[in-house]
Amino acid sequence: MALVNEHFLKLPNNYLFADISKKVNAFKVQHPTAGVISLGIGDVTRPLCPAVVEAIHKAADEMGTEGGFHGYGPEQGYAFLREAIVKNDFLPRGIHLDPSEIFVNDGAKSDTGNIQELVRWDNSIGVTDPIYPVYIDSNVMIGRAGVVNDGRWSNVVYMPCTAGNGFVPQLPDRRVDIIYLCYPNNPTGTVLSKDELRKWVNYALRNDTLIFFDAAYEAYIQNPDIPHSIYEIKGARKVAIEFHSYSKTAGFTGVRCGYTVVPKEVTAATLEGERISLHKLWYRRQCTKFNGASYISQRAAEATYTPEGREQVRQTIGYYMENARLMRNALTALGLRVYGGEDAPYLWVQTPDGEGSWRFFEQMLYNAHVVCTPGVGFGPSGEGYVRLTAFGDRDSCLEALDRIGRWLG
Amino acid sequence: MALVNEHFLKLPNNYLFADISKKVNAFKVQHPTAGVISLGIGDVTRPLCPAVVEAIHKAADEMGTEGGFHGYGPEQGYAFLREAIVKNDFLPRGIHLDPSEIFVNDGAKSDTGNIQELVRWDNSIGVTDPIYPVYIDSNVMIGRAGVVNDGRWSNVVYMPCTAGNGFVPQLPDRRVDIIYLCYPNNPTGTVLSKDELRKWVNYALRNDTLIFFDAAYEAYIQNPDIPHSIYEIKGARKVAIEFHSYSKTAGFTGVRCGYTVVPKEVTAATLEGERISLHKLWYRRQCTKFNGASYISQRAAEATYTPEGREQVRQTIGYYMENARLMRNALTALGLRVYGGEDAPYLWVQTPDGEGSWRFFEQMLYNAHVVCTPGVGFGPSGEGYVRLTAFGDRDSCLEALDRIGRWLG
């Protein structure tokens, strides 16, 4: 008899955003003319920039010719893209990576979900709380997270990030095998200074801990002192794997391309204490379960590094960050406590009068016809907050602020 | 201390095709003017058909406009594609699927590798031998395959397919929880009749076994009596998950799109005997670890179902099958025993005088400058065979046959 992987049954029935979308759809059916505006899911809305569109056209034409056709690419991604990444995303920050340390993928969600396959099922994990649900859910599915009780998993160490500690997580008071960090942070929109990030790298070096560092939002950093990559910290090459994505950087949520950095020095141990290169294991994993990202998406990603591509991408990010500024100002003027949104496209808003996240979500939906994401969906310390995203188009964003103003004002 | 997943260390160092590519590159360095022709890896070579190229252009233009931009799509794939699949790939064969039973992906390799996450780590598995390496390797990585001894894994039941049994696998003599079948078969290029396939479905119904059915090559079937889908067999909806790909059907190895069929009736049991819908679990898995296939690739896949797209795809498949016919004839005329290649793009060639697969591979490379795939790379019963693919362009294919003729003739 085929037996099911029972760890799956411990998960909440729905992925957070599927859950929200169900509730929003129910509202829309009852209120078909309400014109709901979503500031909920972190999806971009601006068109692909012209340099990217042009690259896709060119790749499509190539693929239609005998000489230009590209079949299976290297599982790790084409050299043209991996070299552009090393040269543009890292070298200018003084980080020296070899193109063979870059693994191009179909988006960061896949790799942040799959990376845990490389380590033992019973390694302990630590997460900042609140957190992007994929990190925990992917560990639940393999049994690593243990059992859940009141929203907390037994084998997960939670490091709360709240207004109380300025959203700066404390080092855990015990050894943890693997730590997930995401900066600029999803969902709180806050960042870590170089000094704070250094504490984590040093903790990892001291404790033989692996850090899975999600840098999906680094392009939104405005403050020149904030690190864009964990490899800006000395020693990180020994302990950290870093995830990048073109989704938010260049509006690729529908195009699908990202990359993972696995430095050759990163290792984990066997029970006998032998050190095993995770680069080698990840390569084996990708060759077995992945067939490379689309050639067309890789050419599209490459185009974001041309002078025109860079400028166009910069403008789009500027557009979203102007949304974030308008949102911060308007919501603050309404008396709300607003965090994030200065170096990230997310605003983390404290609910008034200690209202529960889901209750505030529903009130905003029913009273202002605006969708937010309930903070508690990202973890227990998210209770009492909601996340708003700056990814809307300007008019919707202003209209949403206006409606929230009329509701709360 | 972060501990490594030691199951990975049981795997051979390289994925089969990475291994071959290393040997071929070594030969090329030594013989830079040899003009090596590859009939090895199963990658297509014909350009994308015009209908597909046009669809990519159109999608790129859409994505460059405010109104036509598409961000995250549904994790399961867009309805336009899932509906086209149901209507074109199944309805004409009398198979009624609901579009919600289709999961669009970035290629069949991902899903055939990931599907095993849904079942317990200690379920037993059965494979036809020889076999596509991903099925076993993905089970090795989670510990399900046990330990390897002389090319055989301790928890895997092998069902040999050789000239001796006409490449028709026998039902295992014991219960197996999960069985992988691939028809038309990779690597042997052979097919199963409806009667033979029915035996497997009935075995699965009788033994509460799950079948993972890989139909990646169904478009190559010429004989009208051969089933294209396991769902042509009564009862299969209860026991089988089926994998499809546009890679070989429409030359999408570089575009990346495929789909998996998970009927709502397919279940696996908990230890307490409760039946759990695998559809629901797979949906949860995909929402957590996958962010949908590229919008552009999905529009490209949709174009293969238009009247022009269908005709263009049919012509490309005809081209490859004519290669296969020429190869069968020429190799048979040389006195080789050749199997497959009539309803599949693969020829399975017995090595002369019981030569080992790898030795014959090297002889062909050094004497004819032609790359094949050593049969033993697909499993112990592949020893004494090599696989040739019909995916080359006609001239290279004829030139390769000519060289093999001069070498063996």
Side-chain angles (χ1 to χ4, degrees):
Chain A
M1 182 159 69
L3 291 173
V4 76
N5 172 359
E6 298 199 23
H7 300 303
F8 267 78
L9 309 182
K10 303 174 191 167
L11 284 169
N13 258 336
N14 287 317
Y15 180 63
L16 173 62
F17 295 105
D19 222 16
I20 291 170
S21 139
K22 214 175 263 183
K23 285 179 200 280
V24 172
N25 285 338
F27 175 82
K28 283 182 180 170
V29 167
Q30 294 158 356
H31 307 83
T33 59
V36 172
I37 297 173
S38 176
L39 303 178
I41 193 166
D43 196 3
V44 296
T45 56
R46 305 302 301 157
L48 290 181
C49 69
V52 166
V53 172
E54 196 188 318
I56 297 174
H57 281 302
K58 205 175 144 209
D61 284 335
E62 269 188 82
M63 294 285 271
T65 64
E66 297 220 9
F69 179 75
H70 284 74
Y72 290 124
E75 281 92 347
Q76 241 195 296
Y78 281 97
F80 66 76
L81 180 54
R82 289 186 285 122
E83 283 160 12
I85 288 166
V86 165
K87 199 178 133 198
N88 290 280
D89 289 350
F90 296 98
L91 254 188
R93 304 189 195 289
I95 301 164
H96 295 266
L97 294 175
D98 191 87
S100 67
E101 297 176 312
I102 308 293
F103 291 78
V104 176
N105 61 30
D106 72 325
K109 196 190 197 187
S110 309
D111 282 10
T112 50
N114 295 332
I115 194 73
Q116 48 76 31
E117 295 178 20
L118 303 191
V119 293
R120 262 177 76 101
W121 73 272
D122 55 357
N123 273 207
S124 59
I125 69 166
V127 296
T128 55
D129 169 32
I131 195 175
Y132 178 49
V134 167
Y135 310 148
I136 291 187
D137 288 2
S138 59
N139 279 289
V140 171
M141 288 175 176
I142 193 88
R144 199 178 285 110
V147 292
V148 71
N149 194 349
D150 205 16
R152 287 166 189 275
W153 294 90
S154 56
N155 295 339
V156 174
V157 174
Y158 293 83
M159 303 172 293
C161 297
T162 61
N165 61 12
F167 299 96
V168 175
Q170 296 288 297
L171 295 177
D173 50 10
R174 48 170 162 141
R175 267 213 68 262
V176 177
D177 298 318
I178 293 150
I179 284 175
Y180 287 82
L181 295 177
C182 172
Y183 285 98
N185 188 250
N186 175 13
T188 66
T190 58
V191 289
L192 278 195
S193 70
K194 216 167 227 177
D195 280 346
E196 285 297 334
L197 189 54
R198 188 175 294 117
K199 285 183 194 164
W200 289 95
V201 171
N202 288 340
Y203 170 91
L205 287 165
R206 218 161 48 233
N207 289 284
D208 203 354
T209 295
L210 273 176
I211 297 177
F212 294 155
F213 191 82
D214 189 344
Y217 301 94
E218 60 86 16
Y220 289 83
I221 295 172
Q222 309 293 311
N223 179 337
D225 295 331
I226 299 298
H228 286 243
S229 162
I230 196 168
Y231 305 118
E232 293 184 40
I233 310 294
K234 202 177 155 204
R237 278 184 61 90
K238 283 194 182 165
V239 293
I241 290 174
E242 183 167 284
F243 306 93
H244 286 252
S245 169
Y246 298 97
S247 285
K248 310 301 161 70
T249 308
F252 273 36
T253 51
V255 175
R256 313 307 311 140
C257 199
Y259 64 89
T260 297
V261 184
V262 188
K264 298 241 166 108
E265 291 96 315
V266 179
T267 59
T270 65
L271 285 177
E272 289 74 33
E274 193 193 344
R275 307 300 307 194
I276 304 292
S277 155
L278 293 187
H279 181 278
K280 198 172 142 191
L281 259 50
W282 184 244
Y283 180 71
R284 191 63 168 82
R285 192 270 169 210
Q286 291 299 81
C287 285
T288 303
K289 300 197 199 176
F290 181 60
N291 236 334
S294 163
Y295 174 71
I296 296 161
S297 303
Q298 292 189 61
R299 282 294 184 199
E302 184 193 27
T304 66
Y305 296 113
T306 61
E308 313 78 58
R310 290 169 73 97
E311 175 54 25
Q312 291 161 4
V313 160
R314 204 188 57 74
Q315 279 180 20
T316 304
I317 289 175
Y319 178 99
Y320 292 136
M321 289 310 287
E322 174 63 9
N323 281 351
R325 196 186 63 79
L326 293 168
M327 290 165 74
R328 272 182 71 88
N329 289 352
L331 297 170
T332 306
L334 286 170
L336 291 166
R337 310 277 315 251
V338 182
Y339 303 94
E342 290 177 319
D343 294 294
Y346 294 126
L347 286 84
W348 192 239
V349 181
Q350 207 159 6
T351 60
D353 309 319
E355 196 90 78
S357 295
W358 276 109
R359 178 139 174 74
F360 191 70
F361 159 86
E362 272 165 20
Q363 288 176 340
M364 192 182 283
L365 178 59
Y366 278 79
N367 294 315
H369 307 163
V370 173
V371 181
C372 62
T373 307
V376 71
F378 297 100
S381 297
E383 182 57 290
Y385 297 86
V386 296
R387 188 189 74 174
L388 293 175
T389 85
F391 288 129
D393 73 272
R394 181 71 38 78
D395 289 347
S396 309
C397 183
L398 292 172
E399 166 70 16
L401 292 173
D402 196 48
R403 291 190 198 165
I404 294 171
R406 271 180 281 143
W407 163 46
L408 291 178
Chain B
M1 182 159 68
L3 291 172
V4 76
N5 172 358
E6 297 199 23
H7 300 304
F8 266 78
L9 309 182
K10 303 175 190 167
L11 282 168
N13 257 337
N14 286 319
Y15 181 63
L16 173 63
F17 295 106
D19 222 16
I20 291 170
S21 140
K22 215 175 260 182
K23 284 179 202 279
V24 172
N25 285 337
F27 175 83
K28 282 182 179 168
V29 167
Q30 292 158 358
H31 306 83
T33 60
V36 172
I37 296 173
S38 176
L39 303 178
I41 194 167
D43 195 3
V44 296
T45 57
R46 307 301 304 157
L48 290 181
C49 70
V52 166
V53 173
E54 197 189 316
I56 297 174
H57 281 302
K58 205 174 143 212
D61 284 335
E62 269 187 84
M63 294 285 270
T65 63
E66 298 220 8
F69 179 75
H70 284 74
Y72 290 125
E75 281 91 347
Q76 240 194 298
Y78 280 97
F80 65 76
L81 180 54
R82 290 186 284 120
E83 283 160 12
I85 288 166
V86 165
K87 199 178 133 198
N88 290 280
D89 288 350
F90 295 98
L91 254 189
R93 304 189 193 289
I95 300 164
H96 294 266
L97 294 174
D98 191 87
S100 67
E101 297 177 312
I102 308 292
F103 292 78
V104 176
N105 60 31
D106 72 326
K109 196 190 199 186
S110 309
D111 281 10
T112 50
N114 295 332
I115 194 74
Q116 47 76 34
E117 294 177 20
L118 303 190
V119 294
R120 260 177 77 101
W121 72 274
D122 56 356
N123 272 206
S124 59
I125 69 166
V127 295
T128 55
D129 169 32
I131 195 173
Y132 178 49
V134 167
Y135 310 149
I136 292 188
D137 288 3
S138 59
N139 279 288
V140 171
M141 288 174 176
I142 194 87
R144 199 179 286 111
V147 292
V148 70
N149 192 350
D150 206 16
R152 287 167 188 277
W153 294 90
S154 56
N155 295 339
V156 175
V157 174
Y158 292 85
M159 303 172 292
C161 296
T162 61
N165 62 10
F167 300 95
V168 175
Q170 296 288 298
L171 295 176
D173 49 11
R174 49 172 162 140
R175 268 213 68 264
V176 177
D177 298 318
I178 292 150
I179 283 174
Y180 287 83
L181 295 176
C182 172
Y183 286 98
N185 188 250
N186 175 13
T188 67
T190 59
V191 288
L192 278 194
S193 69
K194 216 166 227 178
D195 281 347
E196 285 297 335
L197 190 54
R198 188 175 295 116
K199 285 184 194 164
W200 288 95
V201 172
N202 288 340
Y203 169 91
L205 287 165
R206 218 161 46 234
N207 290 283
D208 202 353
T209 294
L210 273 177
I211 296 177
F212 294 155
F213 191 81
D214 189 345
Y217 301 95
E218 61 84 15
Y220 289 83
I221 295 172
Q222 309 293 310
N223 179 337
D225 295 333
I226 299 298
H228 286 243
S229 164
I230 197 168
Y231 305 117
E232 294 184 39
I233 311 294
K234 201 177 155 207
R237 279 185 60 90
K238 283 192 182 165
V239 293
I241 289 174
E242 185 167 283
F243 305 93
H244 286 252
S245 170
Y246 297 97
S247 286
K248 310 301 160 70
T249 308
F252 272 37
T253 50
V255 175
R256 314 306 312 139
C257 198
Y259 64 90
T260 296
V261 184
V262 189
K264 300 240 167 107
E265 292 96 315
V266 180
T267 60
T270 65
L271 284 177
E272 290 73 33
E274 192 193 345
R275 307 301 308 195
I276 304 292
S277 155
L278 293 188
H279 182 279
K280 198 173 143 191
L281 259 49
W282 184 243
Y283 179 71
R284 191 62 168 83
R285 193 269 169 211
Q286 291 299 82
C287 284
T288 304
K289 299 197 201 177
F290 181 60
N291 236 333
S294 162
Y295 174 71
I296 295 162
S297 303
Q298 292 189 62
R299 282 292 183 200
E302 183 193 28
T304 66
Y305 296 114
T306 61
E308 314 77 58
R310 290 169 72 98
E311 175 54 26
Q312 291 162 4
V313 160
R314 204 188 58 74
Q315 279 179 20
T316 304
I317 289 174
Y319 179 98
Y320 293 136
M321 289 309 287
E322 174 62 10
N323 281 353
R325 196 186 63 79
L326 293 167
M327 290 165 74
R328 271 183 71 89
N329 290 351
L331 298 171
T332 306
L334 287 170
L336 291 166
R337 310 276 315 250
V338 182
Y339 304 94
E342 290 178 320
D343 293 294
Y346 293 127
L347 286 84
W348 191 240
V349 180
Q350 207 159 7
T351 61
D353 310 319
E355 196 91 78
S357 295
W358 276 109
R359 178 141 174 73
F360 191 70
F361 159 86
E362 272 167 18
Q363 288 177 343
M364 192 181 283
L365 178 59
Y366 279 78
N367 295 314
H369 308 163
V370 172
V371 180
C372 61
T373 308
V376 71
F378 297 101
S381 296
E383 182 55 291
Y385 296 87
V386 297
R387 187 190 76 174
L388 293 176
T389 85
F391 288 128
D393 72 274
R394 182 70 38 79
D395 290 346
S396 309
C397 183
L398 291 172
E399 166 70 14
L401 292 173
D402 196 48
R403 291 189 198 165
I404 295 172
R406 272 180 279 144
W407 162 45
L408 291 178

